[in-house]
Amino acid sequence: MKLDDEVPGILSRVLTAAPARRQAILAALAAYEVKAGVFDVSEDLIPMSFAEVVRHGRVADILRMTFGDVPEGLPGLLERIGERPLDRRADYLAIFQMLARNDVRAADALRGAGRITRRKLEVLSSLDPRWHHTHTLERLDTGAEATTFNAAVEFVQSVCSRASDETVAEAIAQMRPTSTLPRLLDRFIRRADRLPVNPVPVGDNDLRPLSTTRDLLEAGLRYRNCISHRLSEVAAGKLAIAEYQTQLLVEFRPLSLGAAWMFRDVHGPRNGPVALALIAEVEAKCDALGIPRITEAGGGDGWKSYRRFTGELEWG
């Protein structure tokens, strides 16, 4: 409004201009008003003739008057903002700075993601530069979600040697329209090869540790259960699985402070019931291996005999 007082017609020009010129004017005003902390824009760099440039100048003239050297691609990105202004002045300066430092990956991600919004700029600023791509920009909704994705990829890379920066970036680039980022990460988890050591030693004839993702996936198919969806727990050391006499799966959980593992539960095919006699065998095997378990208080051996004799079952 102050500029319109100086050169009448500026307000009308802004309201009726095409998106490219309108956003160039708004970017210029953002740079004019945000003078500290982002980049140096002094009164000398924006003289009084600035109002006349805004009123009569072309897009290139307006941007050159404001920024001096105009990075390649700035007018095109500003046009992608559309008719409405961005919510914050700093968003316009963020776009300028991104191009000024020649951040090609970020610029390409914005160009391919449709209309530029504050949300997309927040996601871009929070996302690890290695994962800057149109496909991530379109699938992440907030900066907090982008930060979570960064940490999730870091975890995947810690347990899967194949998940190099180049491989993850290529997988993102090749995503199909129906693909999701959780599915992409899950594919790497299914190839994890840095699993924690299983608490069951190798070589036992009765209790066999499932120490690889291949072992776990094959067991999930044979027992028809959800073990394939718990691979991340195994990779994180929050769960370990062994197989007892090809009849049932034995679940172990870590004790606090990483001191050891504890026998937790048994699971039959389709998570069906497991006979108490078979559970007792597993308990005896864990006792022999020095793996602790929770002992139910009271009842004694007589109670266990009663349960076996009456044929009662516990569910795995």
Side-chain angles (χ1 to χ4, degrees):
M1 293 178 65
K2 292 179 181 179
L3 292 176
D4 191 75
D5 289 339
E6 181 183 340
V7 179
I10 288 182
L11 280 176
S12 175
R13 177 67 178 274
V14 172
L15 294 174
T16 59
R21 180 174 280 110
R22 177 181 302 178
Q23 296 300 339
I25 294 172
L26 293 173
L29 293 175
Y32 182 78
E33 294 177 5
V34 182
K35 295 185 171 76
V38 181
F39 63 93
D40 185 17
V41 180
S42 67
E43 294 291 346
D44 294 333
L45 291 177
I46 305 181
M48 293 301 294
S49 59
F50 173 68
E52 294 183 0
V53 174
V54 170
R55 174 67 180 86
H56 302 290
R58 301 170 302 172
V59 171
D61 298 328
I62 297 169
L63 295 177
R64 190 178 303 110
M65 172 64 71
T66 306
F67 298 108
D69 293 332
V70 179
E72 183 179 355
L74 180 59
L77 282 184
L78 292 176
E79 186 174 9
R80 286 184 174 274
I81 299 172
E83 304 239 346
R84 296 179 59 84
L86 290 171
D87 296 335
R88 302 174 302 184
R89 304 185 192 99
D91 292 334
Y92 287 99
L93 304 184
I95 295 174
F96 167 79
Q97 291 174 330
M98 176 188 66
L99 294 173
R101 64 175 178 266
N102 196 29
D103 192 341
V104 177
R105 292 173 69 98
D108 287 345
L110 278 177
R111 290 190 185 96
R115 190 171 73 87
I116 295 176
T117 63
R118 176 182 179 179
R119 178 193 67 79
K120 291 178 181 177
L121 291 172
E122 286 180 343
V123 169
L124 200 64
S125 65
S126 300
L127 195 61
D128 190 301
R130 294 172 296 174
W131 322 134
H132 281 173
H133 196 280
T134 298
H135 292 162
T136 49
L137 204 55
E138 291 175 335
R139 290 167 170 81
L140 295 170
D141 292 328
T142 64
E145 196 173 62
T147 301
T148 301
F149 177 74
N150 293 338
V153 176
E154 184 177 352
F155 167 71
V156 166
Q157 291 185 312
S158 72
V159 299
C160 179
S161 62
R162 301 180 184 180
S164 63
D165 291 353
E166 295 75 14
T167 302
V168 174
E170 182 64 22
I172 291 172
Q174 293 182 356
M175 292 182 71
R176 297 181 179 181
T178 56
S179 299
T180 67
L181 293 173
R183 290 178 184 173
L184 181 146
L185 297 182
D186 183 66
R187 289 201 299 272
F188 284 109
I189 287 294
R190 288 171 176 265
R191 299 161 66 186
D193 54 3
R194 294 170 176 165
L195 302 183
V197 177
N198 195 288
V200 176
V202 178
D204 192 285
N205 293 328
D206 295 321
L207 194 60
R208 180 176 71 93
L210 303 183
S211 303
T212 67
T213 52
R214 181 175 180 178
D215 290 339
L216 293 164
L217 290 172
E218 290 178 350
L221 290 174
R222 284 189 284 108
Y223 285 86
R224 299 186 182 184
N225 59 21
C226 63
I227 195 172
S228 63
H229 300 293
R230 306 185 70 182
L231 294 178
S232 63
E233 294 179 67
V234 176
K238 298 182 178 298
L239 172 69
I241 301 292
E243 185 178 26
Y244 183 71
Q245 295 182 348
T246 67
Q247 298 183 65
L248 54 84
L249 298 179
V250 183
E251 176 182 337
F252 301 94
R253 295 285 182 150
L255 296 174
S256 62
L257 303 178
W261 290 83
M262 178 186 71
F263 164 58
R264 171 68 180 274
D265 210 346
V266 294
H267 305 277
R270 296 178 181 266
N271 287 328
V274 178
L276 286 174
L278 199 53
I279 295 176
E281 292 181 24
V282 175
E283 290 177 341
K285 174 58 69 174
C286 291
D287 290 344
L289 294 174
I291 300 175
R293 56 186 170 84
I294 297 176
T295 300
E296 301 202 27
D301 293 335
W303 174 78
K304 292 184 179 179
S305 298
Y306 166 80
R307 294 292 298 272
R308 294 194 186 103
F309 183 78
T310 57
E312 291 185 40
L313 301 174
E314 289 189 0
W315 293 82

